[in-house]
Amino acid sequence: MDQVRTAIEVEKVQILPAENDDHGGVVVKLEEHMDSDVFLTLLKTSMSQWTIQGKKGVWIKLPTHLVNLVEPAVKEGFCYHHAESDYLMLVKWIPKTTNTIPANASHRVGVGAVVLNHKREMLVVQEKNGILRGKGIWKIPTGVIDVGEELFDGAKREVKEETGIDTEFVEILAFRQSHKVYFEKSDLFFVCMMRPLSFDIQIQELEIEAAKWMPLEEVAAQPSAEKESLLKYITDLCIAKVERDYSGFSPHPVTSFFSDQPSHLYFNKKEN
Amino acid sequence: MDQVRTAIEVEKVQILPAENDDHGGVVVKLEEHMDSDVFLTLLKTSMSQWTIQGKKGVWIKLPTHLVNLVEPAVKEGFCYHHAESDYLMLVKWIPKTTNTIPANASHRVGVGAVVLNHKREMLVVQEKNGILRGKGIWKIPTGVIDVGEELFDGAKREVKEETGIDTEFVEILAFRQSHKVYFEKSDLFFVCMMRPLSFDIQIQELEIEAAKWMPLEEVAAQPSAEKESLLKYITDLCIAKVERDYSGFSPHPVTSFFSDQPSHLYFNKKEN
């Protein structure tokens, strides 16, 4: 065995800085500027090493200022995985076994907030931008969930930002899935029932044209709220909630195998 | 006026091929190979034209084989917006007004299928890969929703693929939101109650180690199903559904302002 060992040339090779991930792969994170030829040489050496070591997925995260390294990575067989405004993530699967690279994010998640006061008036807004601009339609405050944000926190934040009203979360009344909302991506929209904790409206000038408390029946009777429109369903569910004890889904903290971050399971707690 | 008009040199300029979008912007879609210097010249001319025309967002979709055009686009001030395995989408907002470029997809969406037969046995599987591999834990069939797929179709597809069992969708029992499941992305997991239409199991060899019908109480009593674990909640909801008429959310087709594709609103139909 000693003879075999000495027959192998041991040489220190320079490879790209990488961290192991939890799935038998490595993640390359670069920050400093690097010449694309230097990068290509290091990448080839690194891939040989990682192949010998039995690594599976190799991830390369390239911040925007390292855009010169995108082309060499693609030429070495890397695929795009996902991108955010400030970085591009590329990936290559080394083994011949089934590729278990996780799917890219497919959905954008939004919330709408149903806020009702004690006079059965709903908090509604008119937006300055977007598809409903200038149409005179009153709608519930809505917005997109921030990265890592809980649905109930997102709903509370949007109401506060758009109208200045403080609220607490009651439950999810309903949700809607839509497809091809932009390019090929889908959308999940959660309708949240919120209890108002304050009542004086202060609108956000940038996005909101107007905001007011409007009788529930007036919201429902708007010309836009025709058959099959979401606003009609929302007002119906809201009336059901007020009058007939409708049960939506409430959050409960749970653990998850897949994340150290707190998760929430939303379900109908009425019968539990 | 005629004098002013003749003073302007009218010249046909070559610009990049682009289509107008619905939001006052343009989408550049390239397929043919192009020299990066030629592209840069065309891009500069095009941006001048679009600025004069009052265009808002300019989108450039670059398939993987046009990776040589990524660097010139970024140097002209474009940002990454999103990427799929075969293309990268870049975007630049021209006006000085508020940027209304839609947020990138933030969530991956999964489904789990609760399938119960008439003997109160649950359809469970052991997976060949993933975090539970080799742990002997029986779990419900799960999977990731395909692009454009309905939740109820995804659940039916996953059960069929993994176990060969035909099912029909009953309702959404619950859903879970988790964060930082991979990189910065989040995850929404929908637990779907399904009614079995067939009972003979045929496992998919690639992903599934074993599948069987297991008494509900045995599933719940597994050592993994400790307090706070998702499987424990799922079996509890399932027992509640069987014994006490638990009400989840059912889908109803609705129209959406934002998409021509069919959308579904999921809500508790019991009281409606």
Side-chain angles (χ1 to χ4, degrees):
Chain A
M1 280 303 285
D2 279 334
Q3 280 161 321
V4 176
R5 235 179 234 170
T6 52
I8 299 173
E9 291 277 328
V10 177
E11 200 178 336
K12 286 216 171 171
V13 291
Q14 206 191 343
I15 65 167
L16 290 165
E19 289 169 17
N20 291 322
D21 67 19
D22 295 337
H23 310 280
V26 291
V27 185
V28 178
K29 286 179 186 171
L30 299 171
E31 279 300 330
E32 303 281 308
H33 270 284
M34 190 182 285
D35 177 80
S36 52
D37 289 336
V38 172
F39 172 74
L40 187 58
T41 307
L42 283 172
L43 181 58
K44 285 176 190 279
T45 316
S46 307
M47 289 304 287
S48 305
Q49 288 287 106
W50 293 327
T51 305
I52 292 166
Q53 290 167 15
K55 295 295 180 196
K56 293 179 175 173
V58 177
W59 301 84
I60 304 180
K61 184 177 180 177
L62 293 177
T64 311
H65 65 271
L66 299 183
V67 63
N68 62 312
L69 309 183
V70 176
E71 191 171 356
V74 166
K75 297 219 161 134
E76 276 305 294
F78 278 76
C79 289
Y80 304 136
H81 185 268
H82 66 276
E84 294 297 328
S85 59
D86 57 344
Y87 76 88
L88 174 63
M89 183 70 82
L90 298 114
V91 68
K92 184 172 179 179
W93 183 252
I94 297 180
K96 296 203 171 102
T97 57
T98 316
N99 173 337
T100 57
I101 291 168
N104 187 9
S106 53
H107 287 62
R108 194 172 51 170
V109 176
V111 284
V114 174
V115 188
L116 218 63
N117 68 14
H118 51 283
K119 291 187 275 184
R120 281 173 70 112
E121 291 169 334
M122 191 185 261
L123 181 62
V124 289
V125 300
Q126 286 187 356
E127 292 180 349
K128 280 196 172 163
N129 303 300
I131 205 159
L132 296 179
R133 177 186 173 177
K135 295 202 173 144
I137 295 174
W138 295 96
K139 60 182 278 294
I140 58 172
T142 57
V144 173
I145 285 291
D146 287 338
V147 170
E149 189 176 39
E150 295 300 332
L151 299 172
F152 45 83
D153 289 331
K156 194 155 67 176
R157 177 182 54 72
E158 286 291 346
V159 176
K160 181 69 177 172
E161 280 177 11
E162 295 191 357
T163 68
I165 300 289
D166 294 303
T167 53
E168 66 179 7
F169 178 86
V170 179
E171 65 178 19
I172 304 281
L173 287 181
F175 65 87
R176 182 194 60 191
Q177 187 178 224
S178 309
H179 298 296
K180 298 202 176 183
V181 172
Y182 66 102
F183 305 108
E184 293 301 311
K185 300 295 185 174
S186 301
D187 184 278
L188 273 162
F189 175 76
F190 291 86
V191 182
C192 303
M193 185 91 190
M194 313 293 288
R195 188 176 296 120
L197 301 176
S198 69
F199 300 90
D200 290 336
I201 293 170
Q202 293 235 319
I203 65 168
Q204 184 209 42
E205 303 288 345
L206 194 67
E207 289 180 18
I208 303 300
E209 186 65 44
K212 65 173 179 177
W213 295 99
M214 190 178 191
L216 196 47
E217 283 70 17
E218 275 183 40
V219 180
Q222 287 183 102
S224 65
E226 76 277 21
K227 189 172 175 292
E228 295 298 323
S229 99
L230 184 59
L231 195 58
K232 179 70 167 61
Y233 279 100
I234 291 174
T235 49
D236 283 353
L237 291 179
C238 190
I239 292 169
K241 179 76 194 166
V242 172
E243 296 183 352
R244 285 176 288 154
D245 199 23
Y246 175 86
S247 294
F249 283 0
S250 314
H252 184 89
V254 289
T255 51
S256 162
F257 286 120
F258 303 101
S259 173
D260 298 333
Q261 302 279 311
S263 296
H264 283 87
L265 186 69
Y266 290 74
F267 56 94
N268 181 345
K269 287 197 178 166
K270 197 181 143 198
E271 288 102 338
N272 280 277
Chain B
M1 279 301 288
D2 280 332
Q3 280 160 322
V4 176
R5 233 179 238 171
T6 52
I8 299 174
E9 291 277 327
V10 177
E11 200 179 336
K12 285 218 170 170
V13 292
Q14 204 189 346
I15 64 166
L16 291 166
E19 291 168 16
N20 291 323
D21 68 18
D22 294 337
H23 310 280
V26 292
V27 185
V28 178
K29 286 179 185 170
L30 299 171
E31 280 300 330
E32 303 282 309
H33 270 284
M34 189 182 286
D35 177 80
S36 51
D37 289 334
V38 173
F39 172 74
L40 187 58
T41 306
L42 284 171
L43 182 57
K44 283 176 191 280
T45 316
S46 308
M47 288 305 288
S48 305
Q49 288 288 107
W50 294 326
T51 305
I52 292 165
Q53 290 168 16
K55 296 295 182 196
K56 293 179 175 175
V58 177
W59 300 84
I60 304 179
K61 185 177 180 178
L62 293 177
T64 310
H65 65 272
L66 298 183
V67 63
N68 62 312
L69 308 183
V70 177
E71 193 172 353
V74 167
K75 295 216 162 137
E76 276 304 296
F78 279 77
C79 289
Y80 304 137
H81 185 266
H82 67 274
E84 293 298 326
S85 60
D86 56 345
Y87 76 88
L88 174 62
M89 184 69 84
L90 297 114
V91 69
K92 185 172 178 177
W93 183 252
I94 296 180
K96 295 204 174 103
T97 57
T98 316
N99 172 339
T100 57
I101 292 168
N104 187 9
S106 53
H107 286 63
R108 194 172 51 172
V109 176
V111 284
V114 174
V115 189
L116 218 62
N117 68 13
H118 51 283
K119 290 186 276 183
R120 281 175 68 111
E121 292 168 333
M122 190 184 262
L123 182 61
V124 290
V125 300
Q126 287 186 356
E127 292 180 346
K128 279 195 173 166
N129 303 302
I131 206 161
L132 296 179
R133 176 185 173 179
K135 294 202 173 144
I137 293 174
W138 294 96
K139 59 182 279 293
I140 59 173
T142 58
V144 174
I145 286 292
D146 288 339
V147 171
E149 190 175 39
E150 296 300 331
L151 299 172
F152 46 82
D153 289 331
K156 194 154 68 176
R157 177 182 54 72
E158 285 291 345
V159 175
K160 182 69 177 174
E161 280 176 12
E162 294 191 359
T163 69
I165 300 289
D166 293 304
T167 54
E168 65 180 9
F169 178 84
V170 180
E171 65 179 18
I172 304 281
L173 288 181
F175 66 86
R176 182 194 59 191
Q177 186 178 224
S178 310
H179 297 297
K180 298 203 175 182
V181 172
Y182 67 102
F183 306 109
E184 293 301 310
K185 300 295 185 175
S186 302
D187 184 277
L188 272 163
F189 176 76
F190 292 86
V191 182
C192 303
M193 186 89 189
M194 313 292 289
R195 188 177 295 117
L197 301 175
S198 71
F199 301 90
D200 290 337
I201 292 169
Q202 293 234 322
I203 64 169
Q204 184 208 44
E205 303 286 346
L206 194 66
E207 289 181 16
I208 303 299
E209 185 65 44
K212 65 174 181 178
W213 295 98
M214 190 177 191
L216 196 47
E217 283 71 18
E218 275 182 42
V219 179
Q222 288 183 101
S224 66
E226 74 277 18
K227 189 171 175 294
E228 295 297 326
S229 100
L230 184 60
L231 195 58
K232 178 70 167 63
Y233 279 100
I234 291 174
T235 50
D236 282 354
L237 291 179
C238 190
I239 291 169
K241 179 77 195 163
V242 173
E243 295 183 353
R244 286 177 287 156
D245 200 23
Y246 175 87
S247 294
F249 283 1
S250 313
H252 184 88
V254 289
T255 51
S256 162
F257 287 121
F258 304 101
S259 173
D260 297 333
Q261 302 280 311
S263 296
H264 283 87
L265 185 69
Y266 290 75
F267 57 93
N268 181 345
K269 289 198 179 165
K270 196 181 145 197
E271 287 104 336
N272 282 277

